[in-house]
Amino acid sequence: MSEASAAVPDAHGRFGPYGGRYVPETLMHALHQLAEHYEQARTDPEFQKQLDGYLHHYVGRPTPLFFAERLTKEAAGARIFLKREDLNHTGAHKINNCIGQALLTRRMGKPRVIAETGAGQHGVATATAAALFGMQCAVYMGEEDVRRQKLNVFKMRAMGADVVTVKTGSRTLRDAINEAMRDWMASVEHTHYIIGSVVGPHPFPAMVRDFQSVIGQETKRQCHEQIGRLPDVVIACVGGGSNSAGIFYPFIGERSVELVGVEAGGRGCETGHHAATLSHGKPGVLHGSFSYVLQDSDGQTADVHSVSAGLDYPGVGPEHSYWKDTRRVHYTSVSDADALTGFGLCSRLEGILPALETAHAIVEAMRRAAKRSHEDVVVVCFSGRGDKDCFEVARLQGEEID
């Protein structure tokens, strides 16, 4: 870990001005307990051995770094490599964090886990880890996302999870988190909340980042092995920001590597039509943390939109806010229409269906590769596979596959 990377967060969970704990008193004990157990676990060789064992033998790590030859040819510029998180068990990066937090839950002696989910991949990963370790599991999911991601709803229920449909507010990820927080406040003595992204109160942002950093650590090793050096650009999509934090963090101290986060541009830049928090938001408190938040003119959390359920969130992790302000990471956005085009392009040219979240990063990678020399290397965090999005993509294209 580089010196620059190790500097944050501080003992209070602050990334510069961002982060912290903005939660009811009823949750403070659980957060202190979690922070204490995590600090012990991260330096415990036996815990790390267990985690590495499950990541290798159960999740299927390391994931490949794949040269996307036909996407490269289409862009007619830099070489494009895909870090294939879609090949993990359950089909996305989410399982890395869920296995880690489930092991912590067992270490704390708690028999039940809860989670929130938008695209469903974190819900599936949580249900998977709960089944693996014999824990009770409830997953909160907005009604709109239940409709968009019915395949993942079936998977969660098949593994024994109780999928709780949230019918309040926008009926998407923000509201699912609200309900999961209410559950946790009422059940904190015997329940651990497996937050799925680098959001929420300390220690979640740093802990989730650490569990996901396996992505960037592998990518660095694989780049040295396959191209003999570090890449020129690393690109990842950003909703709450877990896959991007996971691949960016090991590169933060590598100043020669450009880091690019891609948010959901939705249908345009008007409030309520996108989920590009770092492009259009301002600092505020959401779900227990101080970070960039999309807000209306009254300072209330704004409605958001994305074709991708996993990017449909009005906030972002506090470390991403810190990286934006320090200009270590450049953040941009890709529209719904372009993401759908990227979904089709990657599917046809590489035979790999990307998650709609991932498709945003693919589009930006093509744009940047086109402006660079063939000697340059662009790495995309291929955060998840597109099975879960086929029903929604078909619906938007006027097809029927039910």
mmCIF file of all heavy atoms in Angstrom, residues 341-369:
data_model
loop_
_atom_site.group_PDB
_atom_site.id
_atom_site.type_symbol
_atom_site.label_atom_id
_atom_site.label_comp_id
_atom_site.label_asym_id
_atom_site.label_seq_id
_atom_site.Cartn_x
_atom_site.Cartn_y
_atom_site.Cartn_z
ATOM 1 N N THR A 341 -26.080 1.422 -26.078
ATOM 2 C CA THR A 341 -25.248 1.166 -27.261
ATOM 3 C C THR A 341 -23.996 0.381 -26.869
ATOM 4 O O THR A 341 -23.598 -0.568 -27.554
ATOM 5 C CB THR A 341 -24.849 2.492 -27.923
ATOM 6 O OG1 THR A 341 -26.030 3.177 -28.357
ATOM 7 C CG2 THR A 341 -23.938 2.254 -29.123
ATOM 8 N N GLY A 342 -23.378 0.764 -25.752
ATOM 9 C CA GLY A 342 -22.199 0.047 -25.276
ATOM 10 C C GLY A 342 -22.498 -1.394 -24.911
ATOM 11 O O GLY A 342 -21.668 -2.281 -25.142
ATOM 12 N N PHE A 343 -23.664 -1.636 -24.333
ATOM 13 C CA PHE A 343 -24.101 -3.005 -24.023
ATOM 14 C C PHE A 343 -24.111 -3.861 -25.290
ATOM 15 O O PHE A 343 -23.556 -4.966 -25.322
ATOM 16 C CB PHE A 343 -25.501 -2.964 -23.399
ATOM 17 C CG PHE A 343 -26.107 -4.316 -23.115
ATOM 18 C CD1 PHE A 343 -25.951 -4.906 -21.871
ATOM 19 C CD2 PHE A 343 -26.841 -4.986 -24.085
ATOM 20 C CE1 PHE A 343 -26.509 -6.152 -21.592
ATOM 21 C CE2 PHE A 343 -27.401 -6.226 -23.830
ATOM 22 C CZ PHE A 343 -27.231 -6.812 -22.576
ATOM 23 N N GLY A 344 -24.724 -3.319 -26.350
ATOM 24 C CA GLY A 344 -24.800 -4.068 -27.602
ATOM 25 C C GLY A 344 -23.455 -4.243 -28.267
ATOM 26 O O GLY A 344 -23.128 -5.318 -28.783
ATOM 27 N N LEU A 345 -22.635 -3.203 -28.232
ATOM 28 C CA LEU A 345 -21.323 -3.252 -28.885
ATOM 29 C C LEU A 345 -20.427 -4.301 -28.233
ATOM 30 O O LEU A 345 -19.813 -5.131 -28.919
ATOM 31 C CB LEU A 345 -20.670 -1.873 -28.803
ATOM 32 C CG LEU A 345 -19.431 -1.638 -29.662
ATOM 33 C CD1 LEU A 345 -19.809 -1.656 -31.138
ATOM 34 C CD2 LEU A 345 -18.797 -0.299 -29.304
ATOM 35 N N CYS A 346 -20.342 -4.281 -26.920
ATOM 36 C CA CYS A 346 -19.496 -5.249 -26.210
ATOM 37 C C CYS A 346 -20.004 -6.672 -26.418
ATOM 38 O O CYS A 346 -19.216 -7.606 -26.620
ATOM 39 C CB CYS A 346 -19.461 -4.910 -24.723
ATOM 40 S SG CYS A 346 -18.357 -5.951 -23.745
ATOM 41 N N SER A 347 -21.313 -6.834 -26.411
ATOM 42 C CA SER A 347 -21.898 -8.165 -26.606
ATOM 43 C C SER A 347 -21.560 -8.718 -27.982
ATOM 44 O O SER A 347 -21.162 -9.887 -28.121
ATOM 45 C CB SER A 347 -23.423 -8.092 -26.427
ATOM 46 O OG SER A 347 -23.764 -7.612 -25.145
ATOM 47 N N ARG A 348 -21.696 -7.888 -29.009
ATOM 48 C CA ARG A 348 -21.465 -8.346 -30.391
ATOM 49 C C ARG A 348 -19.980 -8.531 -30.708
ATOM 50 O O ARG A 348 -19.608 -9.476 -31.412
ATOM 51 C CB ARG A 348 -22.079 -7.367 -31.389
ATOM 52 C CG ARG A 348 -23.593 -7.359 -31.413
ATOM 53 C CD ARG A 348 -24.131 -6.571 -32.608
ATOM 54 N NE ARG A 348 -23.632 -5.197 -32.632
ATOM 55 C CZ ARG A 348 -24.200 -4.177 -31.985
ATOM 56 N NH1 ARG A 348 -25.275 -4.395 -31.251
ATOM 57 N NH2 ARG A 348 -23.703 -2.964 -32.083
ATOM 58 N N LEU A 349 -19.142 -7.616 -30.194
ATOM 59 C CA LEU A 349 -17.727 -7.660 -30.572
ATOM 60 C C LEU A 349 -16.898 -8.624 -29.722
ATOM 61 O O LEU A 349 -15.901 -9.159 -30.205
ATOM 62 C CB LEU A 349 -17.114 -6.260 -30.489
ATOM 63 C CG LEU A 349 -17.614 -5.237 -31.512
ATOM 64 C CD1 LEU A 349 -16.889 -3.916 -31.336
ATOM 65 C CD2 LEU A 349 -17.430 -5.747 -32.940
ATOM 66 N N GLU A 350 -17.275 -8.821 -28.471
ATOM 67 C CA GLU A 350 -16.458 -9.664 -27.593
ATOM 68 C C GLU A 350 -17.181 -10.913 -27.089
ATOM 69 O O GLU A 350 -16.572 -11.756 -26.439
ATOM 70 C CB GLU A 350 -15.947 -8.857 -26.390
ATOM 71 C CG GLU A 350 -15.023 -7.712 -26.761
ATOM 72 C CD GLU A 350 -13.697 -8.175 -27.353
ATOM 73 O OE1 GLU A 350 -13.381 -9.385 -27.276
ATOM 74 O OE2 GLU A 350 -12.955 -7.325 -27.899
ATOM 75 N N GLY A 351 -18.471 -11.018 -27.379
ATOM 76 C CA GLY A 351 -19.207 -12.181 -26.882
ATOM 77 C C GLY A 351 -19.364 -12.172 -25.377
ATOM 78 O O GLY A 351 -19.480 -13.213 -24.736
ATOM 79 N N ILE A 352 -19.352 -10.968 -24.780
ATOM 80 C CA ILE A 352 -19.505 -10.810 -23.336
ATOM 81 C C ILE A 352 -20.604 -9.789 -23.082
ATOM 82 O O ILE A 352 -20.484 -8.632 -23.498
ATOM 83 C CB ILE A 352 -18.201 -10.316 -22.669
ATOM 84 C CG1 ILE A 352 -17.003 -11.177 -23.078
ATOM 85 C CG2 ILE A 352 -18.348 -10.302 -21.150
ATOM 86 C CD1 ILE A 352 -15.666 -10.603 -22.642
ATOM 87 N N LEU A 353 -21.685 -10.207 -22.428
ATOM 88 C CA LEU A 353 -22.761 -9.285 -22.095
ATOM 89 C C LEU A 353 -22.385 -8.517 -20.820
ATOM 90 O O LEU A 353 -22.261 -9.118 -19.748
ATOM 91 C CB LEU A 353 -24.077 -10.029 -21.850
ATOM 92 C CG LEU A 353 -24.966 -10.311 -23.060
ATOM 93 C CD1 LEU A 353 -24.281 -11.303 -24.005
ATOM 94 C CD2 LEU A 353 -26.321 -10.845 -22.622
ATOM 95 N N PRO A 354 -22.201 -7.197 -20.912
ATOM 96 C CA PRO A 354 -21.859 -6.439 -19.707
ATOM 97 C C PRO A 354 -23.113 -6.057 -18.931
ATOM 98 O O PRO A 354 -24.189 -5.854 -19.506
ATOM 99 C CB PRO A 354 -21.196 -5.176 -20.283
ATOM 100 C CG PRO A 354 -21.911 -4.958 -21.584
ATOM 101 C CD PRO A 354 -22.224 -6.345 -22.120
ATOM 102 N N ALA A 355 -22.985 -5.949 -17.623
ATOM 103 C CA ALA A 355 -24.044 -5.306 -16.842
ATOM 104 C C ALA A 355 -24.213 -3.887 -17.377
ATOM 105 O O ALA A 355 -23.274 -3.291 -17.912
ATOM 106 C CB ALA A 355 -23.657 -5.283 -15.367
ATOM 107 N N LEU A 356 -25.410 -3.324 -17.240
ATOM 108 C CA LEU A 356 -25.616 -1.951 -17.713
ATOM 109 C C LEU A 356 -24.718 -0.972 -16.971
ATOM 110 O O LEU A 356 -24.291 0.043 -17.538
ATOM 111 C CB LEU A 356 -27.085 -1.553 -17.572
ATOM 112 C CG LEU A 356 -28.011 -2.105 -18.665
ATOM 113 C CD1 LEU A 356 -29.460 -1.789 -18.341
ATOM 114 C CD2 LEU A 356 -27.638 -1.554 -20.042
ATOM 115 N N GLU A 357 -24.409 -1.269 -15.690
ATOM 116 C CA GLU A 357 -23.445 -0.444 -14.966
ATOM 117 C C GLU A 357 -22.112 -0.459 -15.702
ATOM 118 O O GLU A 357 -21.509 0.578 -15.987
ATOM 119 C CB GLU A 357 -23.252 -0.978 -13.535
ATOM 120 C CG GLU A 357 -24.459 -0.850 -12.634
ATOM 121 C CD GLU A 357 -25.446 -2.011 -12.787
ATOM 122 O OE1 GLU A 357 -25.266 -2.853 -13.687
ATOM 123 O OE2 GLU A 357 -26.395 -2.065 -11.992
ATOM 124 N N THR A 358 -21.634 -1.657 -16.009
ATOM 125 C CA THR A 358 -20.349 -1.845 -16.683
ATOM 126 C C THR A 358 -20.337 -1.200 -18.059
ATOM 127 O O THR A 358 -19.308 -0.670 -18.503
ATOM 128 C CB THR A 358 -20.043 -3.347 -16.809
ATOM 129 O OG1 THR A 358 -20.230 -3.975 -15.548
ATOM 130 C CG2 THR A 358 -18.645 -3.592 -17.314
ATOM 131 N N ALA A 359 -21.486 -1.237 -18.740
ATOM 132 C CA ALA A 359 -21.574 -0.670 -20.086
ATOM 133 C C ALA A 359 -21.221 0.818 -20.087
ATOM 134 O O ALA A 359 -20.658 1.334 -21.063
ATOM 135 C CB ALA A 359 -22.976 -0.885 -20.660
ATOM 136 N N HIS A 360 -21.528 1.530 -18.998
ATOM 137 C CA HIS A 360 -21.141 2.945 -18.898
ATOM 138 C C HIS A 360 -19.613 3.082 -18.978
ATOM 139 O O HIS A 360 -19.096 3.970 -19.665
ATOM 140 C CB HIS A 360 -21.635 3.539 -17.570
ATOM 141 C CG HIS A 360 -23.110 3.783 -17.507
ATOM 142 N ND1 HIS A 360 -24.033 2.756 -17.425
ATOM 143 C CD2 HIS A 360 -23.828 4.940 -17.504
ATOM 144 C CE1 HIS A 360 -25.247 3.279 -17.368
ATOM 145 N NE2 HIS A 360 -25.155 4.589 -17.422
ATOM 146 N N ALA A 361 -18.904 2.203 -18.277
ATOM 147 C CA ALA A 361 -17.437 2.255 -18.285
ATOM 148 C C ALA A 361 -16.876 1.854 -19.648
ATOM 149 O O ALA A 361 -15.872 2.419 -20.104
ATOM 150 C CB ALA A 361 -16.878 1.350 -17.194
ATOM 151 N N ILE A 362 -17.508 0.893 -20.290
ATOM 152 C CA ILE A 362 -17.072 0.470 -21.632
ATOM 153 C C ILE A 362 -17.136 1.638 -22.611
ATOM 154 O O ILE A 362 -16.209 1.871 -23.408
ATOM 155 C CB ILE A 362 -17.953 -0.701 -22.141
ATOM 156 C CG1 ILE A 362 -17.704 -1.970 -21.325
ATOM 157 C CG2 ILE A 362 -17.729 -0.948 -23.631
ATOM 158 C CD1 ILE A 362 -16.363 -2.616 -21.554
ATOM 159 N N VAL A 363 -18.219 2.397 -22.571
ATOM 160 C CA VAL A 363 -18.380 3.538 -23.479
ATOM 161 C C VAL A 363 -17.258 4.552 -23.268
ATOM 162 O O VAL A 363 -16.636 5.027 -24.224
ATOM 163 C CB VAL A 363 -19.759 4.206 -23.271
ATOM 164 C CG1 VAL A 363 -19.846 5.531 -24.028
ATOM 165 C CG2 VAL A 363 -20.875 3.264 -23.714
ATOM 166 N N GLU A 364 -16.974 4.894 -22.011
ATOM 167 C CA GLU A 364 -15.922 5.864 -21.735
ATOM 168 C C GLU A 364 -14.544 5.326 -22.136
ATOM 169 O O GLU A 364 -13.692 6.082 -22.628
ATOM 170 C CB GLU A 364 -15.928 6.250 -20.256
ATOM 171 C CG GLU A 364 -14.943 7.335 -19.874
ATOM 172 C CD GLU A 364 -15.198 8.672 -20.551
ATOM 173 O OE1 GLU A 364 -16.343 8.922 -21.007
ATOM 174 O OE2 GLU A 364 -14.242 9.482 -20.633
ATOM 175 N N ALA A 365 -14.347 4.021 -21.958
ATOM 176 C CA ALA A 365 -13.077 3.410 -22.363
ATOM 177 C C ALA A 365 -12.876 3.516 -23.868
ATOM 178 O O ALA A 365 -11.760 3.816 -24.337
ATOM 179 C CB ALA A 365 -13.036 1.948 -21.930
ATOM 180 N N MET A 366 -13.928 3.308 -24.632
ATOM 181 C CA MET A 366 -13.837 3.429 -26.092
ATOM 182 C C MET A 366 -13.497 4.863 -26.488
ATOM 183 O O MET A 366 -12.673 5.102 -27.381
ATOM 184 C CB MET A 366 -15.158 2.994 -26.724
ATOM 185 C CG MET A 366 -15.525 1.533 -26.506
ATOM 186 S SD MET A 366 -14.481 0.392 -27.427
ATOM 187 C CE MET A 366 -15.155 0.582 -29.077
ATOM 188 N N ARG A 367 -14.132 5.808 -25.821
ATOM 189 C CA ARG A 367 -13.871 7.222 -26.129
ATOM 190 C C ARG A 367 -12.418 7.590 -25.857
ATOM 191 O O ARG A 367 -11.769 8.260 -26.670
ATOM 192 C CB ARG A 367 -14.786 8.113 -25.288
ATOM 193 C CG ARG A 367 -16.260 8.061 -25.670
ATOM 194 C CD ARG A 367 -17.108 8.828 -24.656
ATOM 195 N NE ARG A 367 -18.527 8.790 -25.009
ATOM 196 C CZ ARG A 367 -19.503 9.222 -24.206
ATOM 197 N NH1 ARG A 367 -19.202 9.710 -23.005
ATOM 198 N NH2 ARG A 367 -20.761 9.159 -24.605
ATOM 199 N N ARG A 368 -11.916 7.153 -24.711
ATOM 200 C CA ARG A 368 -10.545 7.523 -24.331
ATOM 201 C C ARG A 368 -9.514 6.756 -25.154
ATOM 202 O O ARG A 368 -8.473 7.304 -25.504
ATOM 203 C CB ARG A 368 -10.348 7.309 -22.836
ATOM 204 C CG ARG A 368 -11.166 8.296 -22.034
ATOM 205 C CD ARG A 368 -10.810 8.368 -20.597
ATOM 206 N NE ARG A 368 -11.574 9.476 -20.007
ATOM 207 C CZ ARG A 368 -11.053 10.592 -19.536
ATOM 208 N NH1 ARG A 368 -9.746 10.777 -19.569
ATOM 209 N NH2 ARG A 368 -11.819 11.540 -19.019
ATOM 210 N N ALA A 369 -9.798 5.491 -25.431
ATOM 211 C CA ALA A 369 -8.870 4.703 -26.241
ATOM 212 C C ALA A 369 -8.707 5.311 -27.630
ATOM 213 O O ALA A 369 -7.604 5.323 -28.194
ATOM 214 C CB ALA A 369 -9.360 3.261 -26.344
#
